[in-house]
Amino acid sequence: MNQAASRLELPKILSQLAEHAVLEQTKKMLPLLEPVREVESARLLLSYTQETSLMLFELGGGKIEYFSPLGNKAERAQKGAVLSCAELVEAAGLLRSARICYDGIKSFADERVVLLREDAQGLYFNERLERDIFNKIEGDGLADNASERLFAVRREIVLMQERIRARLQEYLTGGERKYLQDGLVTVRGDRFVIPVKAEYKRSVKGFVHDRSQSGATVFIEPEEVLGMNNELITLRIDEKEEEERILAELSRGVGQLCAQLTADEEILIRIDGFYARAEYAYRQKAVKPLLNRKGVVEIVKGRHPLLDGKTAVPVSVSVGGSYDFLVVSGANAGGKTVTLKMCGLFCLMAACGLFVPAAEGTNLAVFGDIFCDLGDSQSIEENLSTFSSHIVHLKYILEHANANSFVLVDEPGGGTDPEEGQALARAVLETLLGKGCRGIVTTHYYTLKEFAYERDRVENACMEFDSEGQRPLYRLKLGAPGSSNALLVCEKLGLDAQTLERARGNLSEGARTIERTVRAAEEGRIRAEREIASLAALKKQWEERMAQLEKEEEKFRREREKFLLASKAEARRIVTERTARAEELLEEIESIFKRDTLSESDLIRARTLKNAMGREESEEKTVRREKADFAVLKEGDAVYVGSLEREGKVLSVKRDKGFAEVLAGTMRVRVPRDDLYRAAPSKREKENGARVQVVRNLNGDALFSSECNLIGMTALEAEQEAERFLDAAVLHNAEEVRIVHGMGTGKLRACIHAMLKKHPRVESYRLGNYGEGQTGVTIVKLK
């Protein structure tokens, strides 16, 4: 499978995959991945990739914390070697990475994370040792606080150095200054010395430790600082011993964990590899494929991962189900070879635990072997021509392929005499079918296309070509062969017209006939598919429109039911109010006649109450409505809609169609002419002719007057009518309205003012000014 993987460019994919890894070890390991050969093993790898994708891009987990390769550090420490500070820090980095990975995976209780949680269980970490190493090592050395002893020794060293410098400073500023080469204290052999001119070396008592290259300067350790330098060296020996003791102690801790650290590194490299797969899948917009052991390859809108995802045309391919081999034909540079490679590459990627850049529903088989013969395999070193090289590859394939193999052959029989090449290609395909293989073959041979029609378990397919635009469409169509369109491709590439015409003339009549037939069939199929797509789009558009109409019809039905219920409730309310009013009038009449003596004014009052009762009773009777005159009906007329039992306003009249569009409340309805009646005159119109009055409209009708006339009403009637008027004014967003109550005795005005004072929507009110009605009118300002 290695040769096939190389030809299908799997190494390039694995190199891209390695770029997403964190650890150096993983970057080296991923390009060496070998596809597994068992379905369950491949499914396990894909499940790991799925879980790491979930961790990274849904749950918000982090990737592996970087650490340097462990190498043989732990083994050396186990054998008693003392590790350097840098090596100890690297070992602590591994412990930290294991701890962070363990905590990160365990922190998510998502039941979909199973495999990673099991791997995390195998991670070992020692937070105490990790903390000790990072606390005790600073930079390239041990920190002062690595131990109390080290801290004390280093403090003594600093103090001793200060004492030595202070003593030597006296030489630099005292009488011996004239013997010195320059005013600097320096160090030779870990001992502090002063630079003395060579001619005065006997003038300064002490030990000579060094001489300059020119010989002009000698470096002398004065006798007075000899003891202090000796003590300083002793302190440094103590410091080194303490450092070695600390490093040895830390190294023993690492050595004791040799097996655990080695296991941790392996687990973390493995998990890092799956995190790399997850990120690669995210970058490629890839999906997890389904896997099968039946040899079925079904790719839905696949794209070769090495192509630009923004410009590549997705291709759907199916092989291994109802047929075992697919014979793909079509124009040169139309995408046959790329499609061939994509199919094999997707199977290899899935067997490496990689998602594939395709759509959901992609189903791939895990084959025991994948064989391929692609491209120009001419070998100068092996003295093989293109044809000979293809035959060598085909020989190997025919010898080793079996029922668990996937075979990909690009133009078998090419590079030799066309007649013999066609015969060879057909024979190779027959042999592969006899072995029970699955595979894909690309060809330009008509005999191979005919063979696909004649033989069971073989299917034709073609890469579509736009003859009008003379360009390939890079779409695979199953069930039909394709024309090579070689001359059209040559024309597009700029070959001169005279040569092309000669080429067409050199074609045999049979070849021209077959070419025309295939091309015509292909063009007809493409046109038919376009028409089908257009009809499908039109069908979808009408289905959406019908669904919208059904929704609107349902909405209208609900509004009508709601309106009818509201109308019935309003009717019950009016009857209740009128009944209560009639009872009040009767009680008042009875109270008058219960008096011992009746005055003329009592009789007038009783007669007035009786007349009022008569008016109330007459208004409670059903109004006999007259049919609206449809011939003279016009926009803006008020009408009564019988089926809705509601008044409305005419929006338009369609006399030729026998209906009118009416706005009834918030509903715009079409009303037949037989359902239109004249709107009944309002109570105020009856009493005051054509005077404008306020009409109570709970549903927000457009008819509204900013004036309410209460003259002639009782205090109770006036208060109820004024409240209804104010409600309507609020619904119509009126800012200021006018209530006419007359001057009279002032009782009606006082009643209205008392109501206005309590009304929640009244901001202020006042009596009318001169010209506004004065005390007979109240001007109300609404909130």
Side-chain angles (χ1 to χ4, degrees), residues 756-768:
L756 293 175
K757 186 180 295 184
K758 301 176 183 177
H759 200 285
R761 302 309 298 266
V762 173
E763 182 176 330
S764 62
Y765 59 90
R766 61 177 176 82
L767 292 174

Side-chain angles (χ1 to χ4, degrees), residues 133-310:
I133 292 175
F134 282 123
N135 288 342
K136 292 180 179 181
I137 297 177
E138 286 184 354
D140 297 330
L142 289 172
D144 291 344
N145 61 354
S147 72
E148 294 181 1
R149 172 65 179 157
L150 184 62
F151 181 81
V153 170
R154 286 183 175 177
R155 180 175 176 80
E156 290 180 18
I157 288 173
V158 171
L159 293 174
M160 184 57 67
Q161 288 175 339
E162 290 177 354
R163 287 175 58 194
I164 294 172
R165 283 196 179 93
R167 182 65 191 90
L168 292 177
Q169 194 67 29
E170 294 177 2
Y171 281 87
L172 301 179
T173 58
E176 294 87 353
R177 181 179 182 182
K178 59 185 177 180
Y179 306 131
L180 303 182
Q181 188 68 264
D182 51 45
L184 293 175
V185 174
T186 185
V187 177
R188 287 293 186 274
D190 291 335
R191 304 181 77 88
F192 284 93
V193 296
I194 55 177
V196 180
K197 296 176 182 177
E199 60 268 26
Y200 297 116
K201 63 182 179 180
R202 299 185 186 279
S203 301
V204 178
K205 293 181 179 182
F207 297 91
V208 177
H209 285 276
D210 199 2
R211 183 173 62 183
S212 67
Q213 190 172 1
S214 64
T217 304
V218 293
F219 297 94
I220 298 176
E221 178 185 5
E223 290 180 348
E224 295 182 13
V225 297
L226 178 63
M228 289 187 287
N229 268 331
N230 289 340
E231 189 175 350
L232 179 61
I233 290 174
T234 302
L235 289 172
R236 283 178 173 157
I237 292 173
D238 293 342
E239 178 190 25
K240 185 176 181 181
E241 289 177 350
E242 180 61 17
E243 288 177 346
E244 289 178 350
R245 186 194 67 78
I246 295 171
L247 292 176
E249 181 183 344
L250 295 176
S251 297
R252 279 194 300 274
V254 172
Q256 291 170 358
L257 302 179
C258 179
Q260 292 91 329
L261 291 175
T262 302
D264 278 358
E265 185 175 39
E266 292 176 357
I267 293 173
L268 292 173
I269 291 172
R270 175 181 173 83
I271 295 177
D272 185 39
F274 288 113
Y275 276 126
R277 289 174 173 88
E279 188 165 350
Y280 177 81
Y282 177 79
R283 303 287 182 187
Q284 287 284 341
K285 295 182 173 61
V287 300
K288 178 185 177 183
L290 303 172
L291 296 182
N292 67 84
R293 54 171 58 90
K294 299 178 181 179
V296 176
V297 176
E298 294 179 346
I299 298 174
V300 182
K301 295 182 179 179
R303 169 184 57 81
H304 196 291
L306 296 180
L307 296 178
D308 186 354
K310 296 180 181 178

Side-chain angles (χ1 to χ4, degrees), residues 673-690:
R673 61 187 302 168
D674 295 336
D675 198 25
L676 293 170
Y677 298 88
R678 290 181 58 188
S682 65
K683 176 180 178 181
R684 196 59 49 221
E685 287 175 340
K686 291 178 181 178
E687 295 181 357
N688 301 303

Side-chain angles (χ1 to χ4, degrees), residues 23-43:
L23 304 177
E24 296 174 19
Q25 308 92 302
T26 314
K27 292 180 182 292
K28 295 177 181 178
M29 177 268 293
L30 288 177
L32 304 176
L33 281 178
E34 287 287 338
V36 299
R37 299 171 185 265
E38 298 296 331
V39 175
E40 294 307 322
S41 299
R43 284 174 178 164

Side-chain angles (χ1 to χ4, degrees), residues 21-29 63-74 86-102 123-125 130 133-134 254 257-273 275:
V22 172
L23 304 177
E24 296 174 19
Q25 308 92 302
T26 314
K27 292 180 182 292
K28 295 177 181 178
M29 177 268 293
K63 298 179 74 174
I64 297 297
E65 183 84 5
Y66 175 80
F67 61 89
S68 298
L70 182 62
N72 63 351
K73 302 181 188 70
E87 290 174 327
L88 286 168
V89 168
E90 290 174 356
L94 173 54
L95 287 171
R96 178 176 60 186
S97 182
R99 175 177 55 82
I100 292 174
C101 179
Y102 178 87
L123 288 172
Y124 175 86
F125 54 93
E130 173 197 338
I133 292 175
F134 282 123
V254 172
L257 302 179
C258 179
Q260 292 91 329
L261 291 175
T262 302
D264 278 358
E265 185 175 39
E266 292 176 357
I267 293 173
L268 292 173
I269 291 172
R270 175 181 173 83
I271 295 177
D272 185 39
Y275 276 126

